[in-house]
């Protein structure tokens, strides 16, 4: 979870609002919510500069929650959640190449080795190791199946399949550069919006 904490002199806000001082919490909450939106955009843009990832994978209902500030609780909270998704699904199924299910002919696979990349500026890395990963169909419940990247749990050909996971969204957003820009952009917007909201109240809008 990311909580934005900005120092606000509420007494000064009330002083400036004068007879409308009872609106101070609402004014601060509105500024915090606008700053939260700006912070969300900042995180998304800077994450996409570093990673091959689409916006919807960062901000969908399964990975992102926004708790808006209110007059009673003028603190906005951004929460990034989610576990390690299968690497095959990363970036709209564009991380792993070739994007084809492995098949065997006379004991030989149609794909010798898969490659993958999730960070920009890097070459695709070969997915090797003792038990090489491969793309495969697996059953998911009684009436559906799932395509993903898997590897065997051991050297036996009938060993259990284990999914190959990619980095989780909360992991990739929490780097120093992204967080620094988040604080800067959200902070500047908070101050700017606070001035705007005070003016709105004073002008009776």
């Amino acid at each position: 979870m990311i909580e934005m904490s900005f120092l606000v002199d509420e007494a000064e806000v009330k002083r400036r609002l004068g007879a409308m001082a009872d609106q101070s919490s609402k004014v601060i909450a509105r500024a915090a919510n606008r700053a939260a939106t700006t912070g969300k955009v900042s995180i998304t843009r800077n994450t996409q500069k570093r990673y091959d990832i689409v916006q919807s994978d960062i901000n969908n209902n399964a990975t992102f929650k926004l708790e808006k500030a209110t007059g009673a609780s003028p603190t906005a909270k951004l929460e990034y959640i989610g576990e390690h998704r299968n690497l095959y699904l990363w970036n709209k199924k564009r991380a792993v190449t070739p994007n084809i299910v492995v098949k065997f002919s006379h004991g030989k696979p149609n794909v010798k080795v898969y490659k993958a990349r999730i960070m920009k500026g890097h070459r695709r890395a070969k997915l090797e190791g003792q038990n090489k990963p491969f793309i495969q169909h697996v059953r998911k419940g009684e009436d559906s199946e799932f395509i993903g990247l898997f590897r065997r749990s051991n050297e036996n050909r009938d060993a259990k399949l284990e999914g190959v996971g990619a980095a989780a969204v909360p992991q990739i957003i929490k780097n120093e550069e992204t967080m620094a820009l988040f604080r800067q952009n959200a902070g500047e917007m908070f101050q700017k919006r606070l001035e705007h909201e005070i003016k709105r109240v004073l002008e009776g809008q």
Side-chain angles (χ1 to χ4, degrees), residues 2-186:
I2 300 173
E3 277 193 45
M4 294 185 299
S5 299
F6 304 119
L7 295 177
V8 182
D9 187 344
E10 189 171 4
E12 175 63 15
V13 174
K14 289 183 175 181
R15 185 193 69 78
R16 293 180 60 184
L17 290 172
M20 305 295 290
D22 62 339
Q23 299 293 310
S24 62
S25 292
K26 291 183 179 179
V27 164
I28 294 171
R30 289 170 184 160
N33 287 332
R34 184 59 181 272
T37 300
T38 298
K40 172 185 172 182
V41 172
S42 176
I43 287 173
T44 301
R45 287 178 177 173
N46 285 285
T47 299
Q48 287 184 299
K49 287 181 181 179
R50 295 169 58 86
Y51 292 87
D52 289 322
I53 188 170
V54 293
Q55 180 178 332
S56 60
D57 281 348
I58 303 173
N59 297 321
N60 64 62
N61 292 333
T63 57
F64 174 76
K65 294 181 180 179
L66 171 62
E67 183 179 325
K68 290 188 175 182
T70 64
S73 179
T75 303
K77 299 178 181 179
L78 288 77
E79 185 176 8
Y80 289 87
I81 55 180
E83 300 178 350
H84 300 271
R85 300 176 69 207
N86 193 284
L87 181 57
Y88 173 77
L89 302 175
W90 185 275
N91 196 30
K92 297 295 183 182
K93 303 179 182 179
R94 294 193 291 264
V96 180
T97 57
N99 185 359
I100 58 175
V101 173
V102 68
K103 294 181 180 179
F104 288 85
S105 176
H106 303 291
K108 295 183 179 180
N110 58 335
V111 180
K112 289 184 178 181
V113 63
Y114 289 89
K115 297 181 180 180
R117 185 186 78 173
I118 64 171
M119 291 193 71
K120 291 182 176 177
H122 294 258
R123 292 183 177 181
R124 292 186 181 275
K126 291 183 178 180
L127 303 176
E128 298 182 305
Q130 192 170 15
N131 302 315
K132 291 182 181 179
F134 53 89
I135 296 174
Q136 187 60 274
H137 293 267
V138 297
R139 296 288 297 175
K140 187 178 182 182
E142 293 294 327
D143 303 313
S144 63
E145 64 178 15
F146 173 76
I147 300 177
L149 187 70
F150 302 91
R151 60 161 41 101
R152 297 286 179 186
S153 58
N154 57 53
E155 296 180 2
N156 296 327
R157 295 194 61 177
D158 59 349
K160 180 181 177 180
L161 291 177
E162 297 178 339
V164 178
V169 170
Q171 287 181 308
I172 66 174
I173 67 169
K174 288 187 177 180
N175 64 76
E176 292 183 7
E177 181 181 347
T178 297
M179 289 295 97
L181 288 169
F182 161 76
R183 289 189 290 269
Q184 177 184 335
N185 295 332

